[in-house]
């Protein structure tokens, strides 16, 4: 084998031809019921205003039913047919769950809709005893979970996909793709029906017959897209698959011959994996910013838990503590079921660690403690709930402050410059600013730009005794398309000593007019409280 071919990828294609009906069987089994295997069952979907077969089980197939057949015809052939409605979203969720489980074999798993997956097993098959053992283990386990499975391995995804439809279990050596699929019908390539029909009419019924034609002839007749598809199926180049998740920077995992289920064993496993992960990162001067622990159950269920940090983590004790906090705070506790047979810890985001002189700098230690506290709180309640505020360059009150996750913006918040308050002067902005201004009722106010004499807010009447203003704030017309009105803000105090920040929305005689130019009443709002 040449050096070039030795570096070729190896792709395992997985196809679940009866995924919709298998999913329904699993649902019945979960609630204590069961569909008899000898009772024909189908899933139907609407197509061109008619119900047609979307999926069927083996018993229905024995009656000669097929996908795409109208339901009325199917009932005429098999009156005792059990019929279920298609649920594409539920099928997609099941496929995603299977893809999560397949992560145990390789982190490079891609979807092949509607009912297939691609696994890039390049360089990892030896961990499972070779490609044949890996394929058998995958098919056997999914079959135990109640799925009909077809799988094949080749050096190109299109060739592997073709084999899953025609010769399940086939493992094609690199360079032997053309020979492996020559005898199959052209429909096995998965091309459009119009192209498949055109090939048959031209007398090209097998892939081998099409391959004998020159590439420019095929391209001229059936298009470059089909020509490329054929070339990839024959092993002449291949398009890369698109993995569902980006490849983590570092991965460590532990497999168990006997599944683990106790909290103590789970915690010990995570602690040991954290030690191994930190050692691997330390060799390259890296620290983790985002970590994910994945727990693979024996029944195929996978649970993933993620934590993030404000600064690169280089100590296993910190990783261990963060995951303990996260596990303790889970609203949906980690359910081991019959046990976890594999636990994986990965660092999906890392950064180069900059060495600092930390012994004599108290400020550095204070920052470290604050960062650690934020990380622990975020692990418990979520990173988006722990925020810092950053000033924004705008005069619009509700947009002047931006709340951002503290883990990612702590340094920016420490260096932010806020408007300074004038000594011996009352604050210009309220201590409490509402997310949305609340409407108030104003019976009358001094026109054109005066404050109200009284107003009603939250069904309470407030008599105004002191007023400061107005402070006129025009909206950002270049962003709002002129839809926002100019505001006149007032700092007012009522007879009880409560101080409010209120505004009139719009200017008399210019903005507060109807289509005929007549004046309309102003709307008033309270935007904040000073005390």
């Amino acid at each position: 084998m040449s050096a070039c071919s030795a570096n070729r990828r190896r792709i395992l294609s997985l196809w679940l031809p009866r995924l919709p009906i298998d999913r329904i069987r699993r649902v019945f089994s979960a609630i204590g019921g069961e569909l008899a295997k000898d009772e024909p069952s189908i899933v139907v979907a609407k197509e061109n205003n008619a119900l047609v077969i979307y999926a069927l089980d083996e018993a229905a197939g024995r009656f000669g039913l097929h996908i795409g057949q109208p339901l009325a015809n199917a009932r005429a052939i098999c009156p005792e047919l059990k019929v279920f409605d298609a649920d594409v979203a539920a099928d997609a969720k099941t496929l995603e769950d299977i893809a999560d489980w397949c992560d145990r074999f390789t982190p490079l798993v891609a979807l092949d809709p509607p009912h297939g997956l691609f696994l890039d097993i390049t360089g990892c098959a030896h961990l499972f005893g070779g490609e044949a053992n890996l394929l058998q283990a995958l098919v056997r386990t999914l079959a135990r979970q109640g799925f009909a499975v077809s799988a094949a391995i080749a050096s190109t995804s299109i060739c592997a996909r073709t084999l899953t439809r025609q010769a399940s279990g086939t493992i094609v050596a690199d360079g032997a793709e053309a020979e492996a699929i020559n005898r199959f019908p052209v429909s096995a390539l998965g091309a459009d029906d119009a192209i498949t029909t055109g090939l048959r009419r031209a007398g090209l019924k097998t892939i081998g017959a099409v391959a004998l034609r020159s590439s420019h002839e095929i391209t001229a007749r059936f298009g470059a897209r089909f020509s490329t598809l054929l070339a990839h199926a024959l092993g002449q180049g291949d398009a890369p698959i698109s993995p569902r998740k980006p490849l983590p920077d570092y991965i460590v995992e532990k497999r168990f011959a006997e599944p683990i289920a106790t909290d103590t064993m789970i915690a010990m496993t995570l602690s040991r994996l954290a030690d191994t992960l930190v050692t691997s990162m330390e060799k390259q001067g890296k620290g983790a910013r985002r970590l994910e622990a994945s727990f693979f159950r024996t029944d195929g269920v996978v649970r993933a838990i993620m934590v993030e940090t404000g600064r690169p983590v280089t100590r296993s004790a910190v990783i261990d503590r963060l995951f303990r906090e996260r596990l303790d705070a889970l609203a949906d506790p980690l359910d081991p079921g019959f046990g976890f047979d594999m636990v994986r810890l990965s660092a999906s985001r890392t950064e180069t660690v900059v060495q600092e002189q930390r012994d004599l700098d108290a400020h550095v230690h204070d920052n470290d403690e604050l960062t650690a506290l934020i990380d622990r709180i975020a692990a418990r309640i979520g990173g988006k709930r722990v925020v810092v505020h950053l000033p924004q360059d705008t005069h619009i009150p509700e947009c002047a402050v931006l709340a951002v996750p503290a883990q990612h913006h702590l340094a920016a918040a420490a260096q932010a410059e806020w408007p300074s308050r004038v000594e011996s002067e009352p604050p210009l902005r309220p201590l409490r600013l509402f997310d949305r201004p609340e409407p108030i009722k104003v019976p009358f106010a001094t026109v054109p730009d005066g404050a109200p004499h009284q107003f009603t807010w939250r069904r309470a009447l407030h008599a105004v005794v002191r007023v400061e203003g107005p402070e006129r704030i025009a909206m950002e017309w270049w962003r709002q398309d002129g839809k926002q009105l100019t505001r006149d803000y007032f700092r007012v105090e009522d007879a009880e000593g409560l101080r409010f920040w209120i505004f009139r929305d719009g200017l008399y005689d210019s903005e507060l007019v109807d289509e005929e130019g007549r004046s309309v009443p102003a709307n008033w709002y309270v935007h904040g409280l000073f005390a």
Side-chain angles (χ1 to χ4, degrees):
M1 184 181 295
S2 67
C4 179
S5 61
N7 294 328
R8 286 285 295 274
R9 295 181 305 149
R10 299 293 288 170
I11 303 297
L12 187 153
S13 176
L14 186 68
W15 184 42
L16 298 101
R18 297 178 184 142
L19 176 65
I21 197 70
D22 290 340
R23 177 188 60 79
I24 292 172
R25 287 186 182 278
R26 283 165 56 89
V27 171
F28 271 85
S29 178
I31 61 177
E34 189 173 353
L35 288 178
K37 292 187 177 180
D38 58 348
E39 189 174 14
S41 303
I42 63 172
V43 176
V44 296
K46 201 166 190 178
E47 184 178 310
N48 296 328
N49 293 323
L51 290 176
V52 299
I53 297 178
Y54 178 69
L56 71 165
D57 64 3
E58 188 175 356
R62 288 196 292 267
F63 279 89
L65 306 184
H66 57 85
I67 293 175
Q69 186 176 23
L71 174 61
N73 295 354
R75 284 194 184 279
I77 297 173
C78 181
E80 65 271 20
L81 204 59
K82 273 190 171 295
V83 181
F84 301 93
D85 291 329
D87 189 339
V88 177
D91 294 341
K93 176 62 169 59
T94 301
L95 187 63
E96 286 278 0
D97 292 340
I98 296 173
D100 287 338
W101 176 80
C102 288
D103 283 343
R104 66 172 57 229
F105 299 104
T106 171
L108 299 176
V109 180
L111 298 177
D112 180 25
H115 305 141
L117 297 172
F118 289 128
L119 282 68
D120 189 335
I121 59 171
T122 307
C124 65
H126 68 281
L127 300 175
F128 305 93
E131 292 181 349
N133 287 338
L134 189 157
L135 186 145
Q136 292 171 8
L138 190 151
V139 171
R140 185 169 56 247
T141 305
L142 286 176
R144 282 202 303 264
Q145 295 175 15
F147 294 102
V149 188
S150 177
I153 298 175
S155 291
T156 71
S157 57
I158 302 301
C159 179
R161 186 180 189 276
T162 302
L163 290 167
T164 60
R165 274 67 173 173
Q166 300 294 324
S168 178
T170 302
I171 300 176
V172 178
D174 186 22
E177 289 82 9
E179 182 182 352
I181 66 172
N182 273 343
R183 67 184 187 279
F184 298 143
V186 292
S187 59
L189 291 174
D192 294 339
D193 291 340
I195 293 177
T196 301
T197 302
L199 289 169
R200 288 175 176 171
R201 288 176 178 174
L204 305 175
K205 298 182 179 180
T206 66
I207 297 175
V210 179
L212 292 176
R213 298 286 183 169
S214 62
S215 60
H216 70 272
E217 181 182 352
I218 296 298
T219 302
R221 179 74 181 275
F222 300 103
R225 187 173 181 179
F226 175 74
S227 180
T228 301
L229 177 70
L230 176 64
H232 291 172
L234 298 173
Q236 302 165 8
D238 191 21
I241 65 173
S242 300
R244 301 158 51 245
K245 304 174 183 176
L247 186 65
D249 295 339
Y250 296 87
I251 298 178
V252 292
E253 59 188 36
K254 175 67 176 177
R255 300 174 185 269
F256 302 94
E258 293 293 333
I260 62 172
T262 64
D263 293 341
T264 302
M265 283 300 299
I266 292 171
M268 289 177 57
T269 302
L270 276 178
S271 182
R272 292 170 182 170
L273 290 176
D275 290 336
T276 306
L277 183 68
V278 167
T279 301
S280 299
M281 293 190 298
E282 188 177 24
K283 294 177 180 178
Q284 299 183 17
K286 299 288 186 177
R289 288 290 304 275
R290 183 183 293 120
L291 296 142
E292 182 175 307
S294 300
F295 303 87
F296 295 79
R297 267 179 19 184
T298 55
D299 60 355
V301 176
V302 182
R303 183 74 181 274
I305 297 173
M306 188 181 69
V307 297
E308 292 187 287
T309 64
R311 301 185 63 176
V313 173
T314 58
R315 293 190 298 157
S316 59
V318 176
I319 297 176
D320 190 28
R321 183 168 65 247
L322 290 176
F323 274 108
R324 287 177 185 270
E325 295 277 2
R326 188 77 183 93
L327 290 170
D328 290 342
L330 287 176
D332 181 16
L334 198 64
D335 180 14
F338 293 105
F340 300 113
D341 58 1
M342 191 179 93
V343 178
R344 172 182 292 162
L345 182 63
S346 59
S348 56
R349 179 185 171 192
T350 60
E351 291 181 2
T352 301
V353 178
V354 179
Q355 299 298 327
E356 298 176 340
Q357 177 63 41
R358 319 179 71 83
D359 295 337
L360 303 178
D361 192 339
H363 181 67
V364 171
H365 284 287
D366 291 341
N367 285 342
D368 288 347
E369 293 178 3
L370 179 58
T371 301
L373 175 62
I374 291 173
D375 288 343
R376 292 184 65 180
I377 297 175
R380 277 193 165 271
I381 66 175
K384 294 183 179 179
R385 296 183 178 182
V386 186
V387 300
V388 291
H389 295 90
L390 298 177
Q392 301 298 299
D393 186 16
T394 178
H395 58 277
I396 309 302
E398 58 266 34
C399 301
V401 176
L402 181 65
V404 293
Q407 286 181 303
H408 307 302
H409 300 88
L410 186 60
Q415 300 172 2
E417 296 184 1
W418 296 88
S420 58
R421 177 179 171 181
V422 180
E423 293 186 9
S424 71
E425 290 290 333
L428 298 178
R429 294 291 182 266
L431 297 175
R432 180 186 176 192
L433 189 72
F434 299 149
D435 289 335
R436 292 184 178 180
E438 298 186 9
I440 58 177
K441 293 181 180 179
V442 175
F444 59 91
T446 305
V447 177
D449 53 10
H453 297 287
Q454 62 182 25
F455 63 90
T456 302
W457 175 54
R458 295 182 179 178
R459 294 187 293 183
L461 181 63
H462 300 270
V464 177
V465 297
R466 292 183 180 84
V467 177
E468 294 176 299
E471 176 188 355
R472 183 158 294 175
I473 297 179
M475 297 296 103
E476 297 171 333
W477 57 265
W478 60 92
R479 293 181 180 176
Q480 306 294 343
D481 297 329
K483 297 179 181 179
Q484 295 285 345
L485 302 178
T486 303
R487 300 175 183 176
D488 274 353
Y489 278 89
F490 299 88
R491 295 182 292 277
V492 301
E493 183 178 327
D494 70 359
E496 302 296 328
L498 299 176
R499 304 191 75 230
F500 303 86
W501 202 38
I502 66 174
F503 70 88
R504 183 189 64 249
D505 198 21
L507 301 178
Y508 288 108
D509 298 329
S510 59
E511 295 179 343
L512 298 176
V513 292
D514 59 16
E515 295 179 354
E516 298 179 358
R518 294 175 297 187
S519 297
V520 297
N523 293 319
W524 288 82
Y525 299 88
V526 58
H527 205 165
L529 304 176
F530 284 93

